[in-house]
Amino acid sequence: MLKINSNYKQLKDSYLFYETAHRLADYQKEHPDKNVIKMGIGDVTRPLCPAVVDALKKASEEMGVAETFRGYGPEQGYDFLREKVRDYYAEREVELELSEIFISDGAKSDCGNILDIFSKDNLVLVPDPVYPVYVDTNVMAGRRIIYMDANESNDFLPGPGEFEPGTSAEDAAEGPDLIYICSPNNPTGAAYDREQLKEWVDYANEKGAVILFDAAYESFAEGDDIPRSIFEIPGARTCAIELCSLSKTAGFTGTRCGYTVVPHDLVRDDTELNALWLRRQTTKFNGVSYVVQRGAEAVFTPEGRMQIKENIDYYKENARVIMDALEDLGIWYTGGVHSPYIWFKCPEGMDSWTFFDFLLKEAGVVGTPGQGFGNNGEGFFRLTAFSTRENTEEAMERLKKVLAK
Ligand code: PLP
């Protein structure tokens, strides 16, 4: 008899977004005239920049002409795009070979797909709170997960050895095989500095673990002290894989393009992980469309770089508006500086869902309860900078008004 993958039965319902949508719908039914401002969205709102749109149009035209039509492309991505990615890394003195860069249809897919090359017996370490994809993709495969203890006292940036209470002494001593690090982080917006990331790199090399570094928000990082890539850290080539995305960098959430870097120096079990990943991709993936890769290429041109920066600056200014309001109110927060996410402590000791209801009913503002990202999120709340400036300012005025009461 056919058996399903029963690991799927172990998945928790994706309750968070369902429940927030449900509570919002109930509220709007009762108050149809209220203008509710949505500050929970994790999707961008600014359109693709003109340089990308032009490139997409041009590539579409090429596809309609026999001489320039392209069929199947290289599974690993076209050289024209991989060269641009390589040059982008080289600006930060990270030297990559083209064969170390794999073009993807986004970081989420590769986050799940990369697990194909690892045994189910590996122990996985994820932060709590966490981007739920890291947990669910490993639950689907039946891997055991332990948690890093991210909290207010470590500014939601746990270091090696900071396991959540309840982690067995054996697991803590043995250490994980796969380590997820997302910096700048979703949901907390916190970003590791060089020294902190170096500790993780040293730990992974010592344990023979592999870091899966999610750099989806790298373009929001500011200043020299916050690495945009784990490969800026000495030693990372022997212990890390980097997953990156143009979703938040260039508004590609609906267009779909990203890249994954697997260095040749990353060897486990006498095997180059780059070779395994190449084998996996050439077997199960037929590449990102030519048109989209041309659009992605335009992101890296001087014109594209200037245009996407305008959008990122716009979101960052929204983040500034949120941070200013929280500072005025004397509320503890992290994120915002290197990230479109601001993560703050619910006022007056409220739990995440009580504050969600309070904010919706009293201020007509929707955010995301931290508890939905893990136990350590309880008592915290996430707002995003992806709204319009006008809505962000209005939401913060409302927040100040209801909390000043
Ligand atoms: N990684 C993190 C931490 C994210 O927050 C997101 C999207 O919200 C992704 C990956 C997914 O990115 P993509 O749109 O490239 O699949």
Side-chain angles (χ1 to χ4, degrees), residues 14-30:
S14 48
Y15 162 83
L16 178 61
F17 294 102
Y18 168 81
E19 185 59 24
T20 50
H22 180 69
R23 290 191 193 200
L24 171 62
D26 280 354
Y27 178 80
Q28 283 186 313
K29 212 161 134 207
E30 280 169 37

Side-chain angles (χ1 to χ4, degrees), residues 317-381:
E317 187 50 34
N318 285 349
R320 173 48 56 201
V321 170
I322 300 170
M323 290 189 287
D324 284 348
L326 295 173
E327 265 160 39
D328 282 356
L329 289 162
I331 292 174
W332 186 94
Y333 72 91
T334 184
V337 181
H338 306 289
S339 159
Y341 299 118
I342 295 94
W343 176 261
F344 63 92
K345 199 167 180 174
C346 299
E348 292 159 28
M350 279 186 252
D351 66 47
S352 300
W353 282 104
T354 304
F355 184 68
F356 175 89
D357 290 333
F358 169 84
L359 195 63
L360 175 59
K361 286 175 190 150
E362 300 297 322
V365 173
V366 177
T368 313
Q371 189 267 343
F373 298 103
N375 293 337
N376 280 10
E378 182 56 284
F380 290 85
F381 207 75

Side-chain angles (χ1 to χ4, degrees), residues 42 106-109 131 134 182 186 214 216-217 245 247-248 256 341:
K108 189 178 187 174
S109 327
Y131 174 55
Y134 308 156
C182 175
N186 179 16
D214 187 337
Y217 297 94
S245 164
S247 283
K248 308 298 157 80
R256 312 303 309 147
Y341 299 118

Side-chain angles (χ1 to χ4, degrees), residues 117-174:
I117 66 170
F118 297 105
S119 159
K120 289 185 177 43
D121 300 330
N122 289 318
L123 182 65
V124 177
L125 177 65
V126 301
D128 175 6
V130 64
Y131 174 55
V133 172
Y134 308 156
V135 173
D136 288 353
T137 49
N138 279 293
V139 169
M140 286 172 179
R143 279 190 201 86
R144 220 155 53 75
I145 301 172
I146 55 173
Y147 291 86
M148 304 173 200
D149 196 7
N151 55 49
E152 193 182 339
S153 63
N154 57 27
D155 289 325
F156 286 89
L157 293 168
E162 290 186 70
F163 299 108
E164 209 155 75
T167 308
S168 76
E170 202 184 336
D171 285 344
E174 185 84 3

Side-chain angles (χ1 to χ4, degrees), residues 194-260:
R194 262 167 224 288
E195 220 171 286
Q196 291 167 320
L197 271 187
K198 178 79 173 101
E199 282 181 32
W200 277 112
V201 165
D202 290 347
Y203 176 78
N205 276 323
E206 185 194 312
K207 295 275 181 195
V210 170
I211 295 174
L212 297 174
F213 189 79
D214 187 337
Y217 297 94
E218 59 86 19
S219 57
F220 285 79
E222 265 180 25
D224 277 347
D225 203 36
I226 304 296
R228 290 169 163 227
S229 161
I230 193 147
F231 299 118
E232 292 175 46
I233 307 298
R237 283 185 60 87
T238 53
C239 70
I241 289 174
E242 182 155 294
L243 303 143
C244 203
S245 164
L246 296 182
S247 283
K248 308 298 157 80
T249 299
F252 270 56
T253 51
T255 308
R256 312 303 309 147
C257 197
Y259 44 91
T260 294

